[in-house]
């Protein structure tokens, strides 16, 4: 109906007259005022609504979808998108080192990598395997097999040195990655191996210091988030954020590597004598209670623990107990002197045997009654004399002293699996047990506990709990507890008597160290036969514990040898080992002998 | 002064031409309201353009220019007191600038008032467009340059980091050698290889308080142990890596 007015178009073209003089891009070709013409845009209502629906409905759908994507599920999609292109790598912290007192590492960690692959990204397993076989030192067939497996993660090699990883990365093989897999090295090998311990596959400590201080050594994991391309390789200058890993703390031990080496070497020698199945020794600093060396034979190399008999992977010095035998007599005598029941000069008439409940206790060599001084009783290691003195003291008092010296409970040293030993309550002692305990039978101790007893005697009666860690991460370890067990004069008396043991007429002249005055005590205790739980056929545990110089003690050394097939006494077997270790400890530390002569000991009563 | 100055100046140019303008100002009725604000802008400027183009030797130029500078202000205040007026003001400014606007000048002479308006608007947009394009190009070039610089630096950083890592590995390798060479077992082996023997008991020279020197112990040369007596030295550590 309103068609007729359409012709404006031709009319527009007939406008040229307007353009005279004005030319250029910005000039309108439309006649002025022709922009709006009444009725020119008349559209039917139906077409209008169809158009409206065609435009608005899809728009609404799109808006709705957009709202769903951006508003409702946005987090999920953003996460999915991020995960698709961000790869999160764990950054392994370097485990802290374990160093000796001079800072020489006993255990430390170097960087290395684990080479892994994502089989779905590997184009040609055979070719990839061929390229990697020489670098990783893994057979081609095995690599091909792993690279063709289902799944998205296979480990191709562990603990690969960094330079090899660089070479692999230069090959640019798709689907082959590397991740941190630090290697724990034990440069000293088996030296201090039992103390340091080892770490398992997962990097957690499984023995020794590695286990007990695992938390401090481990450090905190870091994380690296990288934007990766389709091949899974990082995009240069893409997202690359990382939280650095915090390396573990360095643990400094009180051990002296050199002394430790000599100790272990000497024990090794002892183990080769054919009768000794196990030899242990510990060296304590008298004034601080610090462990200067601690080792046993057979030991193990922590770097090689997987190929070691699992039986040997402990630290027998703190975890296995034995009956100390005569070395414990020093405690009985100390109790007698401290309680005022005797002095080193007190003379007793000692018989060759003594009744103790259902059995008779004899001296090592039966004899007629002899007048011995208390010093003589210790020097000759008389069981009968010691039991006589113990009866003077009384069971309850004796137990009190034994516990004060640290028996029957752990020393608290920073090593795992420490045994407390066995010390029954005196109320439960039978008559024979009352006679056995003073001479070191019916009581179980660890080598470390034994050394700690003598440390108290050497340190003027003050017992300091033994410790092996001097600092963690630069912070000194807390000071160990110290308790006074004996008065100073009693400690001096006991030290004097112990020197008589090593002197002429004593049981252990072999324990002497040239130039130094040595004090100590032998022990030969029956060893319980593990097969029957009885003493028959168990052989002996021979021990020697002592310190030097006797006039100004510096080091305590405790040695014990397990000899199931021999009945030789501690003075013959353990004393030489003791002397060699002690000599090294004193010479290496520059201890100068005082030059004072050994006192003349009165062992027997006046005729 | 300005309003009067302009009023005085414009009739002098060409009263008839000016007379036609008033209808133009009323003409934009169909235009939207915002447009209306812009209208007063071009109007005075077109007047000016016409002046510069048509009168090359006008001595009135100098005085009139001072009048012109102040010109738009009265126009604004006089004409509309509503906000849209402001929109017009920036438009006038570029127009005042270049002599480039000489091109469209003849157009003002002919054509309908509407086309003349459009032409002048287009003419005054050209420098703006140029400016914007220049800015865009400058920005693009600047970005390009910055990006390149960043990429080059990041490349350098990566190279340095790689070099650093290499050195760290080298240090690690060397440290490993030092550590494994300094272990007691290794030292003992080396010492033995050099013909040394373990020392026996030591003798001491002690300087007393009075300066006398006493010898404690007996210095004796260490004896060479029988090879068979030598205890087995633990095997060298399995220190993986460099050596």
């Amino acid at each position: 109906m309103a068609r007729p007015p359409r012709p404006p178009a031709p009319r527009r073209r007939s406008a040229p007259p307007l353009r005279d003089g004005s030319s250029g891009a910005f000039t309108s070709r439309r006649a002025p005022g022709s922009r709006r013409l009444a009725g020119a845009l008349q559209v039917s209502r139906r077409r209008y609504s169809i158009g409206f629906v065609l435009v608005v409905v899809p728009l609404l759908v799109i808006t709705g979808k957009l709202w769903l994507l951006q508003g409702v599920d946005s987090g999920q999609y953003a996460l999915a998108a991020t995960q698709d292109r961000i790869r999160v790598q764990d950054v392994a912290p370097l485990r802290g080192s374990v160093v000796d007192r001079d800072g020489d590492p006993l255990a430390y960690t170097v960087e290395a990598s684990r080479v892994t692959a994502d089989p779905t990204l590997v184009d040609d397993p055979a070719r990839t395997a061929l390229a990697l076989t020489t670098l990783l030192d893994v057979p081609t067939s095995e690599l091909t097999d792993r690279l063709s497996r289902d799944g998205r993660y296979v480990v191709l090699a562990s603990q690969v040195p960094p330079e090899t990883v660089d070479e692999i990365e230069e090959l640019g093989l798709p689907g082959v990655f590397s991740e941190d897999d630090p290697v724990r090295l034990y440069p000293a090998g088996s030296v201090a191996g039992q103390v340091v311990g080892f770490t398992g596959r997962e990097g957690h400590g499984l023995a020794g210091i590695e286990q007990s201080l695992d938390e401090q050594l481990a450090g905190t994991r870091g994380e690296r988030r990288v934007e990766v391309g389709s091949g899974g390789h990082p995009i240069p200058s893409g997202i690359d954020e990382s939280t650095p890993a915090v390396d573990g703390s360095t643990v400094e031990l009180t051990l002296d590597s050199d002394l430790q080496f000599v100790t272990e070497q000497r024990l090794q020698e002892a183990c080769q004598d054919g009768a000794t199945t196990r030899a242990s020794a510990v060296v304590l600093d008298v004034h601080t209670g610090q462990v200067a060396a601690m080792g046993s034979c057979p030991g193990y190399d922590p770097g090689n623990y997987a190929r070691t008999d699992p039986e040997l992977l402990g630290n027998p010095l703190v975890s296995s107990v034995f009956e100390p035998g005569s070395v414990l007599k020093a405690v009985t005598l100390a109790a007698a002197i401290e309680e005022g029941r005797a002095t080193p000069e007190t003379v007793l008439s000692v018989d060759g045997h003594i009744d103790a409940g259902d059995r008779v206790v004899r001296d090592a060599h039966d004899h007629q009654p002899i007048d011995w001084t208390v010093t003589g009783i210790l020097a000759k290691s008389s069981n009968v004399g010691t039991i006589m003195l113990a009866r003077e003291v009384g069971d309850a008092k004796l137990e009190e002293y034994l516990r004060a010296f640290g028996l029957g409970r752990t020393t608290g040293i920073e090593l795992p699996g420490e045994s407390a030993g066995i010390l029954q309550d005196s109320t439960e002692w039978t008559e024979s047990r009352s006679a056995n305990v003073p001479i070191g039978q019916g009581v179980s101790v660890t080598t470390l506990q034994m050394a700690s007893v003598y440390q108290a005697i050497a340190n003027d009666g003050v017992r300091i709990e033994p410790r092996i860690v001097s600092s963690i991460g630069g912070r000194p370890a807390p000071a160990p507890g110290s308790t006074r067990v004996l008065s100073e004069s009693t400690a001096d008396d006991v030290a004097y008597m112990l020197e008589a043991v090593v002197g002429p007429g004593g049981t252990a002249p072999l324990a002497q160290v040239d130039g130094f005055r040595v004090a100590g005590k032998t022990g030969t205790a029956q060893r319980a036969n593990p097969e029957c739980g009885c003493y028959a056929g168990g052989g002996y545990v021979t021990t020697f514990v002592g310190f030097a110089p006797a006039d100004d003690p510096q080091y305590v050394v405790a040695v014990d040898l397990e000899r199931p097939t021999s009945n030789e006494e501690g003075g013959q077997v353990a004393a030489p080992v003791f002397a060699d270790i002690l000599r090294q400890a004193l010479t290496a530390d520059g201890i100068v002998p005082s030059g004072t002569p050994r006192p003349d000991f009165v062992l027997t009563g006046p005729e | 002064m300005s309003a009067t100055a302009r009023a005085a100046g414009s009739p002098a140019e060409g009263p008839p031409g000016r007379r036609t303008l008033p209808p133009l100002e009323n003409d934009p009725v169909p235009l939207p309201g915002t447009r209306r604000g812009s209208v007063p802008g071009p109007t005075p400027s077109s007047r000016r353009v016409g002046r510069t183009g048509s009168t090359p030797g006008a001595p009135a130029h100098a005085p009139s220019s001072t009048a012109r500078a102040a010109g738009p202000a009265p126009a604004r205040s006089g004409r509309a007191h509503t906000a849209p007026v402001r929109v017009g003001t920036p438009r006038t400014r570029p127009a005042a600038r270049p002599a480039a606007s000489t091109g469209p000048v003849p157009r003002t002479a002919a054509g309908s008032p509407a086309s003349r308006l459009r032409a002048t608007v287009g003419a005054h947009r050209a420098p703006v467009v140029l400016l914007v394009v220049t800015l865009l190009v400058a920005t693009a070039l600047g970005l390009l340059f910055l990006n390149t610089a960043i990429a080059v630096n990041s490349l350098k950083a990566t190279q340095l980091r790689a070099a650093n890592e290499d050195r760290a590995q080298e240090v690690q390798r060397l440290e490993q050698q030092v550590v494994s060479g300094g272990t007691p077992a290794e030292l003992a082996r080396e010492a033995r290889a050099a013909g040394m023997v373990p020392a026996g008991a030591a003798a001491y020279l002690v300087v007393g308080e009075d300066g006398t020197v006493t010898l404690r112990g007996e210095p004796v040369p260490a004896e060479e142990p029988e090879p068979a007596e030598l205890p087995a030295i633990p095997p060298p550590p399995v220190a993986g890596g460099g050596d």
Side-chain angles (χ1 to χ4, degrees):
Chain A
M1 49 158 199
R3 295 289 137 100
R6 268 245 159 136
R11 226 175 75 187
R12 208 186 291 167
R13 234 169 266 133
S14 67
L18 287 172
R19 298 173 64 188
D20 62 338
S22 66
S23 61
F26 298 116
T27 319
S28 172
R29 288 176 181 84
R30 199 196 292 139
S34 66
R35 196 170 177 190
R36 270 148 223 261
L37 285 176
L41 285 172
Q42 275 190 6
V43 176
S44 82
R45 247 194 135 59
R46 235 183 79 223
R47 284 178 68 183
Y48 176 78
S49 41
I50 289 173
F52 182 81
V53 167
L54 278 180
V55 171
V56 169
V57 168
L59 260 178
L60 275 178
V61 170
I62 290 168
T63 314
K65 185 64 183 171
L66 187 71
W67 179 74
L68 267 181
L69 288 178
Q70 288 289 326
V72 180
D73 299 334
S74 64
Q76 198 187 326
Y77 283 110
L79 196 72
T82 314
Q83 276 177 347
D84 219 36
R85 52 175 223 279
I86 296 279
R87 193 151 58 94
V88 179
Q89 284 177 316
D90 264 354
V91 181
L94 276 189
R95 196 175 167 85
S97 314
V98 179
V99 300
D100 76 346
R101 63 162 72 165
D102 301 320
D104 292 331
L106 296 168
Y108 67 113
T109 297
V110 293
E111 283 180 48
S113 303
R114 186 184 297 128
V115 177
T116 64
D118 181 348
T120 60
L121 293 176
V122 175
D123 304 329
D124 186 349
R127 268 193 59 193
T128 311
L130 210 60
L132 290 175
T133 181
T134 47
L135 289 171
L136 296 180
D137 203 16
V138 181
T140 326
S141 55
E142 208 180 319
L143 283 177
T144 319
D145 177 48
R146 283 186 209 168
L147 288 168
S148 328
R149 262 182 224 167
D150 289 337
R152 300 204 55 185
Y153 181 87
V154 287
V155 175
L156 300 180
S158 294
Q159 306 194 329
V160 181
E163 52 270 24
T164 312
V165 175
D166 284 351
E167 282 174 50
I168 292 171
E169 271 171 11
E170 269 167 34
L171 295 175
L173 299 166
V176 176
F177 310 110
S178 65
E179 54 194 43
D180 283 348
D181 184 20
V183 192
R184 193 74 168 155
L185 295 181
Y186 300 93
S190 63
V191 175
Q194 289 161 326
V195 174
V196 174
F198 54 89
T199 57
R201 280 248 161 265
E202 300 294 311
H204 294 297
L206 297 181
I209 290 289
E210 297 269 32
Q211 183 186 353
S212 58
L213 295 178
D214 192 38
E215 207 178 298
Q216 289 87 339
L217 284 167
T220 322
R221 280 191 168 280
E223 202 183 65
R224 181 173 176 223
R225 300 159 59 81
V226 240
E227 201 171 3
V228 291
S230 56
H233 288 290
I235 300 173
S237 80
I239 297 176
D240 189 351
E241 323 167 322
S242 47
T243 322
V246 180
D247 290 349
S249 312
T250 297
V251 171
E252 191 184 298
L253 302 183
T254 59
L255 292 184
D256 175 350
S257 289
D258 297 334
L259 183 59
Q260 179 75 27
F261 173 71
V262 171
T263 304
E264 284 185 27
Q265 227 186 2
R266 187 66 188 81
L267 292 174
Q268 188 77 36
E269 206 178 308
C271 274
Q272 284 167 353
D273 69 2
T276 309
T277 54
R278 206 184 68 201
S280 311
V282 59
V283 182
L284 292 185
D285 186 308
V286 165
H287 303 294
T288 58
Q290 291 181 343
V291 178
M294 175 188 256
S296 84
C297 135
Y300 66 91
D301 178 358
N304 219 354
Y305 76 94
R307 271 166 281 173
T308 308
D309 179 3
E311 292 272 306
L312 300 176
L313 292 179
N315 187 351
L317 280 129
V318 295
S319 58
S320 68
V321 295
F322 60 95
E323 288 173 273
S326 307
V327 287
L328 208 62
K329 285 174 185 165
V331 175
T332 312
L333 266 62
I337 293 171
E338 180 82 359
E339 290 299 308
R341 310 285 172 185
T343 65
E345 289 78 35
T346 309
V347 178
L348 278 86
S349 174
V350 181
D351 206 350
H353 52 87
I354 191 169
D355 286 332
D358 54 351
R359 52 177 292 215
V360 177
V361 177
R362 295 169 200 287
D363 274 351
H365 311 284
D366 208 347
H367 54 80
Q368 293 301 307
I370 312 176
D371 284 345
W372 268 331
T373 60
V374 172
T375 309
I377 288 172
L378 193 65
K380 301 285 181 193
S381 195
S382 163
N383 294 337
V384 178
T386 310
I387 294 169
M388 286 163 69
L389 285 165
R391 286 185 177 163
E392 294 270 316
V393 174
D395 288 353
K397 232 16 201 192
L398 183 63
E399 190 210 349
E400 211 175 279
Y401 276 94
L402 290 169
R403 292 205 186 275
F405 274 107
L407 271 60
R409 68 185 150 87
T410 55
T411 61
I413 196 167
E414 302 91 337
L415 288 171
E418 193 187 358
S419 167
I422 303 162
L423 175 60
Q424 278 185 324
D425 274 349
S426 56
T427 49
E428 292 168 26
W429 289 357
T430 60
E431 209 173 328
S432 66
R433 176 58 49 88
S434 300
N436 271 343
V437 170
I439 58 170
Q441 296 276 322
V443 187
S444 285
V445 298
T446 63
T447 315
L448 184 66
Q449 280 176 329
M450 218 48 246
S452 181
V453 167
Y454 278 70
Q455 181 271 329
I457 296 169
N459 193 28
D460 288 335
V462 179
R463 177 175 179 269
I464 299 172
E465 288 173 350
R467 290 290 181 268
I468 199 162
V469 173
S470 65
S471 75
I472 300 172
R475 284 183 303 280
S482 67
T483 40
R484 178 163 284 283
V485 182
L486 299 174
S487 69
E488 217 167 298
S489 68
T490 311
D492 283 349
D493 285 345
V494 178
Y496 163 84
M497 294 194 297
L498 286 171
E499 204 179 343
V501 174
V502 186
T507 52
L510 288 177
Q512 286 182 54
V513 178
D514 290 341
F516 292 96
R517 286 171 60 188
V518 177
K521 182 76 192 81
T522 55
T524 310
Q526 284 176 299
R527 176 175 172 271
N529 190 339
E531 279 159 35
C532 64
C534 58
Y535 286 126
Y540 290 89
V541 176
T542 61
T543 43
F544 195 97
V545 190
F547 49 86
D551 41 355
D552 179 20
Q554 300 294 332
Y555 284 102
V556 174
V557 179
V559 176
D560 77 273
L561 310 175
E562 223 170 78
R563 298 164 66 86
T565 55
S566 156
N567 59 358
E568 274 187 280
E569 288 180 356
Q572 270 71 53
V573 213
V577 180
F578 163 88
D580 286 347
I581 294 172
L582 187 61
R583 181 185 301 118
Q584 169 68 23
L586 293 172
T587 349
D589 199 17
I591 308 285
V592 180
S594 66
T596 50
R598 184 198 309 274
D600 287 327
F601 298 103
V602 184
L603 304 183
T604 51
E607 295 302 316
Chain B
M1 71 133 193
S2 59
T4 52
R6 192 160 43 115
S10 46
E13 297 285 1
R18 293 283 81 73
R19 282 295 116 84
T20 54
L21 278 173
L24 171 70
E25 278 168 42
N26 295 339
D27 171 37
V29 175
L31 292 174
T34 46
R35 270 279 180 197
R36 187 190 295 240
S38 69
V39 173
T43 316
S45 68
S46 72
R47 202 183 295 151
R48 226 175 293 137
V49 170
R51 201 193 305 141
T52 46
S54 58
T55 62
H61 206 290
S64 76
S65 71
T66 54
R68 198 195 313 149
R76 228 190 300 154
S77 57
R79 294 201 117 255
H81 11 267
T82 50
V85 178
R86 282 182 163 224
V87 182
T89 46
R91 288 248 170 112
T92 65
R93 218 175 287 147
R97 226 179 260 165
S101 51
T102 43
V105 171
R107 223 186 298 154
T108 48
S112 75
S115 78
R116 237 168 64 208
L117 171 67
R118 290 213 176 81
T120 48
V121 166
H124 300 130
R125 265 183 194 161
V128 185
V129 169
L130 265 176
L131 179 73
V132 169
V133 166
T134 316
L135 277 177
L136 277 176
V137 169
T139 314
L141 284 176
L143 274 177
L144 195 70
F145 173 76
L146 274 179
N147 265 341
T148 316
I150 289 173
V152 166
N153 282 338
S154 102
L155 216 77
K156 250 184 230 163
T158 312
Q159 280 171 352
L160 289 175
R161 212 171 293 142
N164 209 11
E165 250 165 52
D166 281 353
R167 304 236 159 94
Q169 281 168 19
E170 185 66 26
V171 167
Q172 180 176 306
R173 221 178 350 253
L174 293 173
E175 270 177 358
Q176 226 164 299
Q177 277 181 26
V178 170
V179 165
S180 54
T183 57
E186 192 61 32
L187 285 177
R189 195 199 338 275
E190 290 288 326
R192 194 157 300 156
M196 297 165 126
V197 292
Y204 299 85
L205 284 171
V206 184
V207 183
E209 278 176 23
D210 53 354
T212 56
V213 178
T214 47
L215 177 70
R216 282 186 204 153
E218 222 176 288
V220 277
E223 285 168 33
E224 190 163 356
E226 302 276 321
E229 276 179 24
L230 293 174
I233 287 178
V238 244
D243 40 8

